[in-house]
Amino acid sequence: MATPPDVLTAPASPLVPAPTRKGTAATAPDLWAATARIVPRRRTGQWVSAAVALLLFAMAVNSLVHNRAFQWGVVAEWFTATSVMNGLTLTLWLTAVTLGLGFVLGTVLATMRLSANPVLRTLSWIYIWIFRSTPALVQLLLFFNIGALYPTLGLGIPFGPELVTVRTVNLFGPTFTAVVGLTLLEAAYAAEVVRGGILSVDRGQLEAAAALGLGRWRVLRRIVVPQAMRSIVPTAGNMLISALKGTSIISVLAVSDLLYSVQLVYLQSYQVIPMLMVATLWYVVITTVLSVGQYYVERHFAKGATREGLPPTPLHRARAAYRRLRATAEVPAPGETATAGATTAGSTTAGTTTGGAAR
């Protein structure tokens, strides 16, 4: 008898008779096959590794709870303080602005990279190469000290008079420098993300759309973008989380983001560890919310990608488990079932007798 590869078979008691066909005698292999029972394979390694992992996790939780250096009371006191919330608001605003503008500029750069014009392709490649090759902190410091390179910026006629002139010292403040520097950096990465998503679309579908006479804008909106988003969304979600955490480097410019606001507090109170835990917990909370949103956005753009359909969400699984628990709780006891069966049988008998009398 064929058995699955992940189970083992063990013979049961040889005293149990094996079913045989009429007129045939049971042989030893037939008797063993008829009386065999399936035994799950023992997975000792999985149980041992799970036990070790749970032990290490319990040790980590115990150290977090019982280590007095964390000062969880101070963390709870400052977690929703006004200065911390103002820094968190600025961090979220910077993340949204820089990533939004970065994807707009990155889409333009990706289009240039895919263009048939060699000049546009070269310029886009040079931009992406420069901003991906230099650290973000170096870029921010260069933009912050751009006044040393260009004291004034002007707009006018080439090799002619300047119509508008502005001093860079008055233009590039800390917040504006952070927006410009992070936007240009995110645009370089977003360009590659968008380009990879567009290249993931099968060329045959574009040829089929052209054969049907569809316009380029309709092909882009109905065919290219929906399929490219399946490749863009996961990477874009990672970029969003990285941009949220990457805003912490603007603290070197004295911009009052979340990290800088926390630093101002512990420089006065010397409570370094609890204030850093405040910033850490806020980053964890925001990242978790963004990860949940990314999961559902990926599900939205994955519709129709597989014939089996989308897997159930954690909410769907929770509802299914709740329905199973309710169904189990509503199962009647054995005595109640027997009574109900007797009543039903009695009703059926009475109905039969009445019917006979009527005939």
Side-chain angles (χ1 to χ4, degrees):
M1 180 180 67
T3 58
D6 57 343
V7 296
L8 299 175
T9 56
S13 174
L15 301 178
V16 180
T20 59
R21 296 181 180 178
K22 187 176 182 180
T24 60
T27 60
D30 294 337
L31 181 62
W32 181 85
T35 58
R37 63 188 180 91
I38 298 177
V39 179
R41 175 176 293 178
R42 295 179 178 88
R43 304 184 183 273
T44 308
Q46 290 186 2
W47 287 102
V48 171
S49 60
V52 172
L54 289 177
L55 177 61
L56 295 176
F57 178 74
M59 292 172 61
V61 172
N62 181 67
S63 66
L64 289 175
V65 173
H66 294 92
N67 193 340
R68 296 182 179 180
F70 286 106
Q71 302 182 36
W72 295 111
V74 178
V75 173
E77 179 184 355
W78 284 97
F79 191 71
T80 57
T82 303
S83 59
V84 174
M85 298 305 295
N86 292 337
L88 177 63
T89 303
L90 182 59
T91 297
L92 295 177
W93 179 81
L94 278 174
T95 303
V97 170
T98 56
L99 197 67
L101 296 177
F103 260 94
V104 172
L105 181 58
T107 304
V108 176
L109 293 171
T111 306
M112 293 170 61
R113 283 292 303 273
L114 298 174
S115 174
N117 191 328
V119 176
L120 296 181
R121 288 202 310 268
T122 304
L123 292 178
S124 176
W125 180 85
I126 291 175
Y127 177 93
I128 295 172
W129 169 62
I130 290 176
F131 280 91
R132 291 174 62 188
S133 302
T134 54
L137 183 57
V138 174
Q139 296 176 24
L140 288 177
L141 293 177
L142 282 175
F143 282 113
F144 190 67
N145 297 281
I146 197 173
L149 294 174
Y150 302 99
T152 60
L153 293 177
L155 180 64
I157 302 174
F159 306 103
E162 294 183 352
L163 304 178
V164 179
T165 303
V166 62
R167 297 185 60 188
T168 53
V169 176
N170 301 329
L171 179 62
F172 280 82
T175 304
F176 185 75
T177 302
V179 171
V180 172
L182 294 178
T183 297
L184 296 179
L185 177 65
E186 295 296 333
Y189 291 99
E192 291 299 286
V193 172
V194 174
R195 186 175 69 91
I198 294 175
L199 293 177
S200 66
V201 180
D202 188 12
R203 298 292 99 181
Q205 300 195 28
L206 302 181
E207 295 175 358
L212 293 174
L214 299 179
R216 298 183 62 180
W217 172 249
R218 191 173 183 183
V219 171
L220 179 66
R221 184 168 53 93
R222 293 301 185 107
I223 297 176
V224 176
V225 172
Q227 298 184 64
M229 289 299 290
R230 291 204 300 265
S231 301
I232 292 175
V233 168
T235 312
N238 292 333
M239 283 186 58
L240 176 60
I241 294 175
S242 299
L244 172 69
K245 297 183 297 182
T247 55
S248 60
I249 65 175
I250 66 174
S251 59
V252 299
L253 306 180
V255 179
S256 299
D257 68 322
L258 176 60
L259 180 59
Y260 188 75
S261 301
V262 167
Q263 289 175 336
L264 290 179
V265 175
Y266 74 65
L267 287 176
Q268 298 176 3
S269 62
Y270 300 102
Q271 297 172 334
V272 179
I273 298 300
M275 296 310 302
L276 288 179
M277 290 305 300
V278 170
T280 301
L281 291 177
W282 269 121
Y283 280 121
V284 170
V285 170
I286 302 300
T287 302
T288 304
V289 173
L290 294 178
S291 300
V292 173
Q294 175 187 348
Y295 171 77
Y296 283 98
V297 172
E298 289 183 13
R299 281 180 56 87
H300 173 74
F301 287 102
K303 293 179 180 178
T306 58
R307 295 183 178 181
E308 293 79 11
L310 299 176
T313 63
L315 182 59
H316 293 160
R317 294 192 184 98
R319 290 178 178 175
Y322 175 71
R323 286 194 293 267
R324 287 195 297 269
L325 289 176
R326 287 193 58 183
T328 304
E330 292 176 358
V331 172
E336 297 177 357
T337 304
T339 304
T343 305
T344 304
S347 302
T348 305
T349 306
T352 305
T353 305
T354 304
R359 286 193 297 272

